[in-house]
mmCIF file of all heavy atoms in Angstrom:
data_model
loop_
_atom_site.group_PDB
_atom_site.id
_atom_site.type_symbol
_atom_site.label_atom_id
_atom_site.label_comp_id
_atom_site.label_asym_id
_atom_site.label_seq_id
_atom_site.Cartn_x
_atom_site.Cartn_y
_atom_site.Cartn_z
ATOM 1 N N LEU A 232 -12.245 11.023 11.291
ATOM 2 C CA LEU A 232 -11.734 11.554 12.552
ATOM 3 C C LEU A 232 -11.370 10.398 13.478
ATOM 4 O O LEU A 232 -12.214 9.549 13.778
ATOM 5 C CB LEU A 232 -12.783 12.436 13.242
ATOM 6 C CG LEU A 232 -13.167 13.754 12.574
ATOM 7 C CD1 LEU A 232 -14.203 13.526 11.478
ATOM 8 C CD2 LEU A 232 -13.731 14.726 13.602
ATOM 9 N N HIS A 233 -10.131 10.382 13.931
ATOM 10 C CA HIS A 233 -9.628 9.278 14.752
ATOM 11 C C HIS A 233 -9.986 9.446 16.230
ATOM 12 O O HIS A 233 -10.532 10.462 16.657
ATOM 13 C CB HIS A 233 -8.112 9.147 14.575
ATOM 14 C CG HIS A 233 -7.331 10.347 15.029
ATOM 15 N ND1 HIS A 233 -7.033 10.587 16.354
ATOM 16 C CD2 HIS A 233 -6.776 11.376 14.338
ATOM 17 C CE1 HIS A 233 -6.320 11.697 16.456
ATOM 18 N NE2 HIS A 233 -6.158 12.208 15.249
ATOM 19 N N TRP A 258 -7.951 13.388 9.217
ATOM 20 C CA TRP A 258 -7.517 14.542 10.002
ATOM 21 C C TRP A 258 -6.663 14.101 11.177
ATOM 22 O O TRP A 258 -7.021 13.160 11.885
ATOM 23 C CB TRP A 258 -8.775 15.240 10.519
ATOM 24 C CG TRP A 258 -8.611 16.529 11.274
ATOM 25 C CD1 TRP A 258 -7.768 17.545 10.994
ATOM 26 C CD2 TRP A 258 -9.375 16.951 12.419
ATOM 27 N NE1 TRP A 258 -7.957 18.583 11.886
ATOM 28 C CE2 TRP A 258 -8.936 18.241 12.768
ATOM 29 C CE3 TRP A 258 -10.404 16.364 13.173
ATOM 30 C CZ2 TRP A 258 -9.470 18.963 13.849
ATOM 31 C CZ3 TRP A 258 -10.939 17.073 14.227
ATOM 32 C CH2 TRP A 258 -10.484 18.352 14.561
ATOM 33 N N MET A 260 -6.117 15.206 14.683
ATOM 34 C CA MET A 260 -6.731 16.122 15.639
ATOM 35 C C MET A 260 -5.686 17.102 16.179
ATOM 36 O O MET A 260 -4.489 16.792 16.198
ATOM 37 C CB MET A 260 -7.319 15.350 16.825
ATOM 38 C CG MET A 260 -8.644 14.710 16.580
ATOM 39 S SD MET A 260 -9.505 14.267 18.136
ATOM 40 C CE MET A 260 -8.376 13.106 18.899
ATOM 41 N N PRO A 261 -6.116 18.269 16.646
ATOM 42 C CA PRO A 261 -5.177 19.206 17.267
ATOM 43 C C PRO A 261 -4.344 18.524 18.354
ATOM 44 O O PRO A 261 -4.885 17.792 19.192
ATOM 45 C CB PRO A 261 -6.105 20.273 17.862
ATOM 46 C CG PRO A 261 -7.286 20.267 16.960
ATOM 47 C CD PRO A 261 -7.482 18.818 16.578
ATOM 48 N N SER A 273 -11.394 21.042 24.798
ATOM 49 C CA SER A 273 -12.733 20.592 25.165
ATOM 50 C C SER A 273 -13.373 20.038 23.903
ATOM 51 O O SER A 273 -12.885 20.285 22.793
ATOM 52 C CB SER A 273 -13.567 21.747 25.723
ATOM 53 O OG SER A 273 -13.809 22.711 24.701
ATOM 54 N N ILE A 274 -14.459 19.305 24.057
ATOM 55 C CA ILE A 274 -15.149 18.797 22.863
ATOM 56 C C ILE A 274 -15.659 19.970 22.030
ATOM 57 O O ILE A 274 -15.598 19.945 20.794
ATOM 58 C CB ILE A 274 -16.303 17.854 23.249
ATOM 59 C CG1 ILE A 274 -15.789 16.674 24.086
ATOM 60 C CG2 ILE A 274 -16.999 17.332 21.987
ATOM 61 C CD1 ILE A 274 -14.838 15.746 23.383
ATOM 62 N N ALA A 275 -16.138 21.026 22.681
ATOM 63 C CA ALA A 275 -16.621 22.200 21.945
ATOM 64 C C ALA A 275 -15.485 22.861 21.163
ATOM 65 O O ALA A 275 -15.663 23.250 19.999
ATOM 66 C CB ALA A 275 -17.249 23.198 22.913
ATOM 67 N N ALA A 276 -14.321 22.981 21.788
ATOM 68 C CA ALA A 276 -13.169 23.587 21.104
ATOM 69 C C ALA A 276 -12.707 22.712 19.942
ATOM 70 O O ALA A 276 -12.304 23.220 18.883
ATOM 71 C CB ALA A 276 -12.025 23.803 22.088
ATOM 72 N N LEU A 277 -12.793 21.400 20.105
ATOM 73 C CA LEU A 277 -12.415 20.479 19.029
ATOM 74 C C LEU A 277 -13.419 20.562 17.876
ATOM 75 O O LEU A 277 -13.037 20.464 16.706
ATOM 76 C CB LEU A 277 -12.320 19.052 19.569
ATOM 77 C CG LEU A 277 -11.140 18.794 20.505
ATOM 78 C CD1 LEU A 277 -11.368 17.526 21.328
ATOM 79 C CD2 LEU A 277 -9.837 18.681 19.703
ATOM 80 N N ALA A 278 -14.706 20.741 18.200
ATOM 81 C CA ALA A 278 -15.719 20.906 17.152
ATOM 82 C C ALA A 278 -15.481 22.199 16.374
ATOM 83 O O ALA A 278 -15.630 22.243 15.149
ATOM 84 C CB ALA A 278 -17.119 20.899 17.765
ATOM 85 N N ASP A 279 -15.087 23.266 17.077
ATOM 86 C CA ASP A 279 -14.746 24.512 16.395
ATOM 87 C C ASP A 279 -13.538 24.309 15.487
ATOM 88 O O ASP A 279 -13.491 24.824 14.362
ATOM 89 C CB ASP A 279 -14.432 25.611 17.425
ATOM 90 C CG ASP A 279 -15.677 26.112 18.145
ATOM 91 O OD1 ASP A 279 -16.784 25.907 17.624
ATOM 92 O OD2 ASP A 279 -15.531 26.700 19.232
ATOM 93 N N ALA A 280 -12.546 23.551 15.972
ATOM 94 C CA ALA A 280 -11.361 23.275 15.165
ATOM 95 C C ALA A 280 -11.725 22.460 13.925
ATOM 96 O O ALA A 280 -11.182 22.691 12.835
ATOM 97 C CB ALA A 280 -10.316 22.525 16.000
ATOM 98 N N LEU A 281 -12.651 21.519 14.073
ATOM 99 C CA LEU A 281 -13.113 20.740 12.920
ATOM 100 C C LEU A 281 -13.729 21.663 11.874
ATOM 101 O O LEU A 281 -13.465 21.512 10.676
ATOM 102 C CB LEU A 281 -14.127 19.690 13.366
ATOM 103 C CG LEU A 281 -14.834 18.915 12.252
ATOM 104 C CD1 LEU A 281 -13.840 18.139 11.397
ATOM 105 C CD2 LEU A 281 -15.890 17.973 12.833
ATOM 106 N N GLN A 282 -14.533 22.614 12.316
ATOM 107 C CA GLN A 282 -15.142 23.553 11.370
ATOM 108 C C GLN A 282 -14.068 24.368 10.647
ATOM 109 O O GLN A 282 -14.153 24.588 9.431
ATOM 110 C CB GLN A 282 -16.111 24.476 12.096
ATOM 111 C CG GLN A 282 -16.782 25.515 11.204
ATOM 112 C CD GLN A 282 -17.584 24.904 10.064
ATOM 113 O OE1 GLN A 282 -18.046 23.777 10.159
ATOM 114 N NE2 GLN A 282 -17.745 25.643 8.975
ATOM 115 N N LEU A 295 -18.884 12.844 7.150
ATOM 116 C CA LEU A 295 -17.950 12.766 8.270
ATOM 117 C C LEU A 295 -18.047 11.400 8.923
ATOM 118 O O LEU A 295 -19.140 10.909 9.204
ATOM 119 C CB LEU A 295 -18.259 13.844 9.305
ATOM 120 C CG LEU A 295 -18.183 15.308 8.847
ATOM 121 C CD1 LEU A 295 -18.453 16.239 10.013
ATOM 122 C CD2 LEU A 295 -16.816 15.611 8.263
ATOM 123 N N GLY A 297 -16.696 9.726 12.296
ATOM 124 C CA GLY A 297 -16.020 9.988 13.551
ATOM 125 C C GLY A 297 -15.941 8.749 14.418
ATOM 126 O O GLY A 297 -16.959 8.143 14.745
ATOM 127 N N HIS A 298 -14.716 8.366 14.784
ATOM 128 C CA HIS A 298 -14.506 7.198 15.639
ATOM 129 C C HIS A 298 -14.250 7.634 17.074
ATOM 130 O O HIS A 298 -13.415 8.503 17.323
ATOM 131 C CB HIS A 298 -13.322 6.373 15.129
ATOM 132 C CG HIS A 298 -12.917 5.268 16.082
ATOM 133 N ND1 HIS A 298 -11.754 5.314 16.813
ATOM 134 C CD2 HIS A 298 -13.538 4.119 16.426
ATOM 135 C CE1 HIS A 298 -11.673 4.224 17.568
ATOM 136 N NE2 HIS A 298 -12.743 3.492 17.353
ATOM 137 N N SER A 299 -14.952 7.037 18.029
ATOM 138 C CA SER A 299 -14.724 7.265 19.451
ATOM 139 C C SER A 299 -14.850 8.749 19.786
ATOM 140 O O SER A 299 -15.893 9.344 19.539
ATOM 141 C CB SER A 299 -13.367 6.677 19.854
ATOM 142 O OG SER A 299 -13.271 6.509 21.249
ATOM 143 N N ILE A 300 -13.796 9.398 20.301
ATOM 144 C CA ILE A 300 -13.918 10.831 20.584
ATOM 145 C C ILE A 300 -14.160 11.615 19.292
ATOM 146 O O ILE A 300 -14.794 12.678 19.313
ATOM 147 C CB ILE A 300 -12.676 11.371 21.333
ATOM 148 C CG1 ILE A 300 -12.997 12.724 21.993
ATOM 149 C CG2 ILE A 300 -11.469 11.479 20.417
ATOM 150 C CD1 ILE A 300 -11.887 13.267 22.884
ATOM 151 N N GLY A 301 -13.712 11.077 18.162
ATOM 152 C CA GLY A 301 -14.005 11.707 16.877
ATOM 153 C C GLY A 301 -15.502 11.767 16.614
ATOM 154 O O GLY A 301 -16.019 12.742 16.057
ATOM 155 N N GLY A 302 -16.227 10.733 17.049
ATOM 156 C CA GLY A 302 -17.681 10.735 16.919
ATOM 157 C C GLY A 302 -18.342 11.727 17.851
ATOM 158 O O GLY A 302 -19.390 12.295 17.533
ATOM 159 N N MET A 303 -17.740 11.942 19.018
ATOM 160 C CA MET A 303 -18.259 12.958 19.943
ATOM 161 C C MET A 303 -18.077 14.350 19.347
ATOM 162 O O MET A 303 -18.972 15.202 19.436
ATOM 163 C CB MET A 303 -17.535 12.853 21.282
ATOM 164 C CG MET A 303 -17.795 11.572 22.041
ATOM 165 S SD MET A 303 -16.834 11.523 23.576
ATOM 166 C CE MET A 303 -17.511 10.056 24.353
ATOM 167 N N ILE A 304 -16.928 14.572 18.731
ATOM 168 C CA ILE A 304 -16.669 15.860 18.084
ATOM 169 C C ILE A 304 -17.688 16.106 16.973
ATOM 170 O O ILE A 304 -18.220 17.214 16.826
ATOM 171 C CB ILE A 304 -15.232 15.896 17.528
ATOM 172 C CG1 ILE A 304 -14.216 15.826 18.675
ATOM 173 C CG2 ILE A 304 -14.990 17.151 16.699
ATOM 174 C CD1 ILE A 304 -12.786 15.553 18.217
ATOM 175 N N VAL A 305 -17.983 15.064 16.192
ATOM 176 C CA VAL A 305 -18.974 15.198 15.117
ATOM 177 C C VAL A 305 -20.344 15.555 15.695
ATOM 178 O O VAL A 305 -21.056 16.415 15.155
ATOM 179 C CB VAL A 305 -19.050 13.900 14.282
ATOM 180 C CG1 VAL A 305 -20.255 13.937 13.343
ATOM 181 C CG2 VAL A 305 -17.768 13.703 13.478
ATOM 182 N N GLN A 306 -20.732 14.908 16.799
ATOM 183 C CA GLN A 306 -22.023 15.218 17.416
ATOM 184 C C GLN A 306 -22.093 16.681 17.855
ATOM 185 O O GLN A 306 -23.107 17.358 17.652
ATOM 186 C CB GLN A 306 -22.260 14.310 18.620
ATOM 187 C CG GLN A 306 -22.491 12.848 18.269
ATOM 188 C CD GLN A 306 -22.581 11.989 19.510
ATOM 189 O OE1 GLN A 306 -23.517 12.109 20.293
ATOM 190 N NE2 GLN A 306 -21.601 11.127 19.714
ATOM 191 N N LYS A 307 -21.035 17.175 18.474
ATOM 192 C CA LYS A 307 -21.003 18.575 18.911
ATOM 193 C C LYS A 307 -21.002 19.515 17.696
ATOM 194 O O LYS A 307 -21.688 20.538 17.684
ATOM 195 C CB LYS A 307 -19.767 18.815 19.776
ATOM 196 C CG LYS A 307 -19.598 20.246 20.264
ATOM 197 C CD LYS A 307 -20.707 20.662 21.213
ATOM 198 C CE LYS A 307 -20.500 20.131 22.599
ATOM 199 N NZ LYS A 307 -21.470 20.695 23.576
ATOM 200 N N TRP A 308 -20.251 19.143 16.661
ATOM 201 C CA TRP A 308 -20.198 19.955 15.432
ATOM 202 C C TRP A 308 -21.569 20.047 14.768
ATOM 203 O O TRP A 308 -21.946 21.102 14.245
ATOM 204 C CB TRP A 308 -19.168 19.344 14.478
ATOM 205 C CG TRP A 308 -19.064 20.009 13.149
ATOM 206 C CD1 TRP A 308 -18.339 21.129 12.839
ATOM 207 C CD2 TRP A 308 -19.678 19.600 11.925
ATOM 208 N NE1 TRP A 308 -18.477 21.442 11.503
ATOM 209 C CE2 TRP A 308 -19.293 20.515 10.920
ATOM 210 C CE3 TRP A 308 -20.516 18.545 11.578
ATOM 211 C CZ2 TRP A 308 -19.723 20.401 9.597
ATOM 212 C CZ3 TRP A 308 -20.948 18.431 10.257
ATOM 213 C CH2 TRP A 308 -20.544 19.353 9.294
ATOM 214 N N LEU A 309 -22.336 18.951 14.818
ATOM 215 C CA LEU A 309 -23.663 18.949 14.200
ATOM 216 C C LEU A 309 -24.606 19.949 14.859
ATOM 217 O O LEU A 309 -25.526 20.459 14.209
ATOM 218 C CB LEU A 309 -24.281 17.551 14.280
ATOM 219 C CG LEU A 309 -23.788 16.524 13.252
ATOM 220 C CD1 LEU A 309 -24.292 15.133 13.617
ATOM 221 C CD2 LEU A 309 -24.214 16.895 11.841
ATOM 222 N N VAL A 310 -24.401 20.242 16.129
ATOM 223 C CA VAL A 310 -25.253 21.215 16.817
ATOM 224 C C VAL A 310 -25.049 22.607 16.223
ATOM 225 O O VAL A 310 -25.994 23.355 16.008
ATOM 226 C CB VAL A 310 -24.949 21.225 18.328
ATOM 227 C CG1 VAL A 310 -25.725 22.331 19.028
ATOM 228 C CG2 VAL A 310 -25.286 19.876 18.943
ATOM 229 N N LEU A 321 -21.232 7.638 12.980
ATOM 230 C CA LEU A 321 -20.777 7.661 14.369
ATOM 231 C C LEU A 321 -20.300 6.243 14.691
ATOM 232 O O LEU A 321 -21.109 5.333 14.898
ATOM 233 C CB LEU A 321 -21.914 8.094 15.292
ATOM 234 C CG LEU A 321 -22.535 9.462 14.958
ATOM 235 C CD1 LEU A 321 -23.698 9.762 15.898
ATOM 236 C CD2 LEU A 321 -21.492 10.571 15.018
ATOM 237 N N THR A 324 -18.798 5.085 19.328
ATOM 238 C CA THR A 324 -18.751 6.304 20.120
ATOM 239 C C THR A 324 -19.974 6.352 21.025
ATOM 240 O O THR A 324 -20.771 5.418 21.051
ATOM 241 C CB THR A 324 -18.667 7.536 19.201
ATOM 242 O OG1 THR A 324 -18.411 8.707 19.961
ATOM 243 C CG2 THR A 324 -19.946 7.719 18.383
ATOM 244 N N MET A 392 -7.106 15.080 26.063
ATOM 245 C CA MET A 392 -8.271 14.479 25.414
ATOM 246 C C MET A 392 -9.084 13.642 26.401
ATOM 247 O O MET A 392 -10.319 13.659 26.374
ATOM 248 C CB MET A 392 -7.839 13.622 24.226
ATOM 249 C CG MET A 392 -7.231 14.400 23.084
ATOM 250 S SD MET A 392 -8.424 15.479 22.257
ATOM 251 C CE MET A 392 -7.322 16.366 21.157
ATOM 252 N N PHE A 399 -19.121 15.451 28.987
ATOM 253 C CA PHE A 399 -19.697 15.457 27.630
ATOM 254 C C PHE A 399 -21.068 14.797 27.642
ATOM 255 O O PHE A 399 -21.232 13.687 28.154
ATOM 256 C CB PHE A 399 -18.769 14.715 26.659
ATOM 257 C CG PHE A 399 -19.361 14.534 25.285
ATOM 258 C CD1 PHE A 399 -19.406 15.587 24.387
ATOM 259 C CD2 PHE A 399 -19.888 13.306 24.898
ATOM 260 C CE1 PHE A 399 -19.966 15.429 23.133
ATOM 261 C CE2 PHE A 399 -20.439 13.137 23.635
ATOM 262 C CZ PHE A 399 -20.479 14.205 22.761
#
Side-chain angles (χ1 to χ4, degrees):
L232 293 82
H233 63 80
W258 185 41
M260 281 198 299
S273 66
I274 302 296
L277 290 162
D279 288 340
L281 173 61
Q282 179 59 26
L295 300 183
H298 171 251
S299 198
I300 197 174
M303 294 178 172
I304 295 168
V305 169
Q306 291 174 67
K307 178 65 79 172
W308 176 83
L309 281 170
V310 174
L321 303 177
T324 189
M392 294 293 173
F399 173 77

